[in-house]
Amino acid sequence: MTPAVPELPGQPSVVPTGLDVPALAAELGGTGVPVRWEELTWQQAETTAAAQDAVIIPVGATEQHGPHLPLAVDTLICEAAALGVSALTGVPVVPPLSFGVSASHGDFGGTVALRPETLIAVVEDVIDSLYASGVRQFILLNGHIWNNGALDVSAEKLRVRHRDARVRALGYVTMYPGPEVDGHVQYGRALMHANFFETSVMLHLHPELVRMDKATSHVDVDSFWDYRMDQVSETGVWGRDVADADAKHGEKEFDRCLLTTARAVSAAVREPWPDPTHRPGATA
């Protein structure tokens, strides 16, 4: 039986998806409505922590996304995915961390960047606070690829510090195969930035923030090294066919991100801890 979460005032949040939310929520443990940590009282937070023992921490960025998309793309998409997963699984979502490791964008205006060490420290503080509230399972849901290193370090440090906690850092697209992500990117190890994929998803989630009249593409090239974005793109875009982006494709990609991540999270928070008797060579 899935533990209940506290009822919240106000109207239910609408999950921007074509998925059958009520049916999936019934299967995966949610109510169909996201649980927003910041909307809980402290008593409700304690109840939720005891019932779910898990939380999703969206980690985004505030950085340039070409001339046609807003600075908040990585945060907006990641938070939407986190809230959708919460609606399907019942796992609460804390407010997104909206600054990331973004200095490699270089001289494009608007970017607000954290040093990797700063993001590591912020994540540690956030998880330590939630740990004190009784949470023991932490999903760091990432919306910006250059956050990966800092989040992996954070997870490693926290696994060592809190022996009874579980931490996993993953991207909102991690749970289905990378080659299946239709970003119209040929090179760059699937680097997606202000490209066909992100533009399509934003047209689905926030069409009012997309300026398709200013959309431009960039022919990605093969390289061994990673570079600052202003060294490889004149516009801040990495990817082809951006003008072909459309909301229907964005909905399809977003729904797959949401479904695969929700199924993974629903199973993860119920996963048994390792049993020493299952180790190779162990005796019964």
Side-chain angles (χ1 to χ4, degrees):
M1 179 176 179
T2 301
V5 296
E7 294 183 3
L8 300 176
Q11 295 299 315
S13 301
V14 176
V15 179
T17 175
L19 298 173
D20 187 342
V21 172
L24 287 169
E27 173 191 345
L28 300 178
T31 65
V33 179
V35 181
R36 294 177 181 263
W37 190 261
E38 70 274 22
E39 293 182 354
L40 304 174
T41 65
W42 69 263
Q43 296 100 328
Q44 289 174 324
E46 285 188 345
T47 301
T48 301
Q52 297 297 325
D53 192 31
V55 71
I56 301 169
I57 305 172
V59 187
T62 300
E63 61 183 32
Q64 73 80 24
H65 271 77
H68 67 295
L69 292 176
L71 301 171
V73 165
D74 293 340
T75 303
L76 291 171
I77 296 177
C78 187
E79 183 181 28
L83 291 171
V85 171
S86 177
L88 297 183
T89 65
V91 178
V93 179
V94 302
L97 306 181
S98 57
F99 300 134
V101 180
S102 302
S104 289
H105 281 286
D107 293 334
F108 293 107
T111 296
V112 180
L114 300 181
R115 290 172 294 157
E117 309 86 313
T118 304
L119 182 58
I120 292 167
V122 169
V123 170
E124 286 186 81
D125 286 353
V126 170
I127 289 184
D128 282 345
S129 297
L130 293 166
Y131 184 91
S133 293
V135 182
R136 293 296 182 267
Q137 300 182 100
F138 305 91
I139 296 103
L140 296 166
L141 191 64
N142 186 24
H144 172 51
I145 192 170
W146 288 339
N147 290 339
N148 285 352
L151 295 182
D152 286 342
V153 171
S154 299
E156 172 62 14
K157 294 182 72 175
L158 290 157
R159 279 193 295 268
V160 173
R161 181 182 305 165
H162 301 301
R163 296 178 63 86
D164 61 340
R166 302 197 283 198
V167 187
R168 172 75 188 273
L170 67 153
Y172 64 81
V173 297
T174 297
M175 291 301 157
Y176 67 89
E180 294 183 13
V181 179
D182 189 358
H184 290 206
V185 174
Q186 185 173 353
Y187 298 111
R189 294 178 300 286
L191 175 64
M192 299 184 296
H193 191 76
N195 67 327
F196 175 80
F197 175 92
E198 285 193 327
T199 303
S200 293
V201 175
M202 283 295 291
L203 284 170
H204 166 56
L205 295 175
H206 293 284
E208 75 282 2
L209 299 179
V210 182
R211 301 169 177 87
M212 286 304 291
D213 60 313
K214 297 184 180 295
T216 181
S217 294
H218 180 81
V219 178
D220 50 308
V221 296
D222 195 14
S223 67
F224 175 85
W225 303 105
D226 289 327
Y227 294 95
R228 289 171 28 150
M229 185 63 73
D230 60 358
Q231 292 175 315
V232 296
S233 174
E234 298 77 23
T235 64
V237 174
W238 184 267
R240 306 161 186 253
D241 309 325
V242 176
D244 296 335
D246 68 89
K248 291 291 287 184
H249 179 73
E251 181 181 34
K252 175 184 175 184
E253 293 283 1
F254 180 77
D255 283 357
R256 186 156 58 157
C257 291
L258 178 53
L259 180 59
T260 55
T261 305
R263 288 195 185 282
V265 168
S266 178
V269 298
R270 294 163 177 79
E271 180 178 298
W273 276 80
D275 182 346
T277 63
H278 292 166
R279 294 173 184 165
T283 56

